[in-house]
Amino acid sequence: ILNVEQSPQSLHVQEGDSTNFTCSFPSSNFYALHWYRWETAKSPEALFVMTLNGDEKKKGRISATLNTKEGYSYLYIKGSQPEDSATYLCAPISSNTGKLIFGQGTTLQVKP
Amino acid sequence: GAVVSQHPSWVICKSGTSVKIECRSLDFQATTMFWYRQFPKQSLMLMATSNEGSKATYEQGVEKDKFLINHASLTLSTLTVTSAHPEDSSFYICSARRRRLNTEAFFGQGTRLTVV
């Protein structure tokens, strides 16, 4: 069983605050890590797919880093906006199963 | 991005009946499809992984005879909840992926099943 832990479980911030979340996973048999954003009443959408140790990806105000040796990834949101309110899910993929197994997610609420 | 269509979006059925949920990739060939269930206030729990043309791989604790998964083509996978009971009421969602493991998965809209 792939243990994926995300922290914090929930987060409330003010508009304009920057924030970050953590995704921890077993480093053995690592193949790739996915980050998804799941807004209420919508389908989860992929933010990033990361594969290389030290990878850093950015999409607008959102960026992510990856450390495959120690088994963690950080997701950063700079200057949070109310539209960033969503649940952020990470899913590491192991090379021997190819399964997409999600962590519990971090639910972000950005207050105007 | 690619489109995955899931139907129905919600269904109410009587206890003891079977319900079929469809997941279609509309503009790409999905070699792998995943079926998830979401319990209240929890994240997505992987139920099974289906690869086109082969039997689905079920996660531990998921009854394969109760949750029948078929992936007959590269664009269609179905989940049939057989002899549904109220405890099967849940949110079910599928996702589809192209061949390579490092490509993103695309999700359907989800199905809210209520068994009465």
Side-chain angles (χ1 to χ4, degrees):
Chain A
I1 296 175
L2 197 65
N3 289 322
V4 185
E5 293 186 6
Q6 289 188 246
S7 62
Q9 270 195 341
S10 64
L11 201 52
H12 291 76
V13 301
Q14 288 295 133
E15 182 175 354
D17 288 350
S18 293
T19 186
N20 64 84
F21 326 132
T22 305
C23 172
S24 300
F25 52 89
S27 54
S28 58
N29 299 314
F30 174 86
Y31 188 87
L33 182 95
H34 292 211
W35 277 102
Y36 289 82
R37 175 168 61 198
W38 193 3
E39 295 178 67
T40 303
K42 293 186 178 180
S43 303
E45 284 187 357
L47 287 171
F48 305 111
V49 176
M50 309 173 81
T51 55
L52 299 176
N53 184 45
D55 242 358
E56 189 167 334
K57 296 208 170 182
K58 190 174 180 182
K59 186 183 286 189
R61 294 179 290 99
I62 304 177
S63 60
T65 60
L66 177 65
N67 184 320
T68 61
K69 292 183 179 177
E70 295 181 38
Y72 64 84
S73 175
Y74 293 139
L75 187 80
Y76 301 91
I77 302 180
K78 185 178 177 183
S80 303
Q81 299 297 308
E83 58 264 31
D84 296 328
S85 298
T87 296
Y88 292 82
L89 299 165
C90 73
I93 297 180
S94 71
S95 55
N96 55 354
T97 69
K99 295 178 185 178
L100 198 61
I101 295 178
F102 288 94
Q104 287 292 96
T106 294
T107 299
L108 173 68
Q109 195 73 33
V110 182
K111 298 176 185 175
Chain B
V3 178
V4 174
S5 178
Q6 184 175 342
H7 291 282
S9 55
W10 61 270
V11 58
I12 301 172
C13 71
K14 288 186 178 179
S15 195
T17 61
S18 295
V19 173
K20 181 186 281 189
I21 302 169
E22 288 190 352
C23 181
R24 291 182 185 270
S25 56
L26 298 185
D27 52 1
F28 70 101
Q29 293 187 330
T31 55
T32 304
M33 286 188 173
F34 302 96
W35 286 95
Y36 297 88
R37 178 175 179 175
Q38 185 187 31
F39 292 97
K41 298 185 179 180
Q42 294 192 29
S43 186
L44 299 174
M45 184 197 79
L46 181 64
M47 298 174 67
T49 303
S50 80
N51 293 296
E52 186 264 339
S54 61
K55 288 184 180 179
T57 305
Y58 290 81
E59 294 301 300
Q60 193 174 9
V62 178
E63 298 174 61
K64 62 177 76 172
D65 293 332
K66 178 156 195 66
F67 299 100
L68 299 178
I69 291 172
N70 185 278
H71 192 165
S73 76
L74 283 171
T75 58
L76 174 65
S77 178
T78 60
L79 166 67
T80 302
V81 183
T82 62
S83 187
H85 289 283
E87 57 266 29
D88 299 325
S89 298
S90 192
F91 182 76
Y92 296 87
I93 191 167
C94 69
S95 71
R97 187 178 66 197
R98 292 183 176 96
R99 188 174 303 275
R100 292 169 59 191
L101 295 185
N102 61 351
T103 56
E104 65 188 280
F106 299 94
F107 282 81
Q109 301 91 326
T111 298
R112 172 71 59 189
L113 170 65
T114 302
V115 185
V116 297

